[in-house]
Amino acid sequence: MSMIKKDFSAIAKQKLINRGVNLDDIANLVFDLQKPYCPTVQKDACLEAVENVLAKREVAFTILTGIELDMAAEKNHLNEMNQIILDDYSLYGIDEIMALSIVNVHGSIALTNFGYLDKTKPGIVGFLEEEGKKDNICHTFLDDIVCAIASSAASKIAHDYEDNKI
Ligand code: MG
């Protein structure tokens, strides 16, 4: 099937940019997470780690699914669930669970950092949350996806540092 041959990673990257998320913004989160543990880490290594996370097809699928749900909520297409998702209702939680599909393939360092970013909302994560409060802008899935990409890239940096690749 030709569908399988689509470059979903490239599409996911472009959709992130369309939704206001630059890869540099994510790399900045990674840098701030890992700098205390990997003092020699550079921003370009963080950006490369982000690119590596995005290169996985299953990561691209999660990004594309989450963004579609955010956009569907903005268009009021989600029936009974629309208001819950549009308002990022605190007891909803499916946004975090979906993002864990990215975190789960990157180990325990990714998992702990994901919880940290979700709680503290630094940089682009806080920006997305604030923007998402505006009328008809929904970042319910996107903010968790960004946390998941950053925490997964942070895990890659930690492992590369330990292996003396950084
Ligand atoms: Mg969310």
Side-chain angles (χ1 to χ4, degrees), residues 19-21 25 121-134 139 143:
R19 299 292 287 174
V21 178
D25 299 328
K121 304 186 189 307
I124 182 71
V125 183
F127 175 77
L128 289 172
E129 165 138 320
E130 285 309 309
E131 286 288 295
K133 288 177 184 163
K134 292 181 180 169
H139 292 148
D143 59 355

Side-chain angles (χ1 to χ4, degrees), residues 88 95-96 139-141 143-144:
D88 202 1
D95 42 344
E96 283 87 2
H139 292 148
T140 297
F141 285 88
D143 59 355
D144 295 286

Side-chain angles (χ1 to χ4, degrees), residues 73 81-92 95 129 132-140:
M81 292 310 295
N82 208 84
Q83 206 59 43
I84 296 239
I85 293 174
L86 194 60
D87 292 349
D88 202 1
Y89 177 53
S90 60
L91 298 182
Y92 177 58
D95 42 344
E129 165 138 320
K133 288 177 184 163
K134 292 181 180 169
D135 276 354
N136 293 316
I137 296 182
C138 182
H139 292 148
T140 297

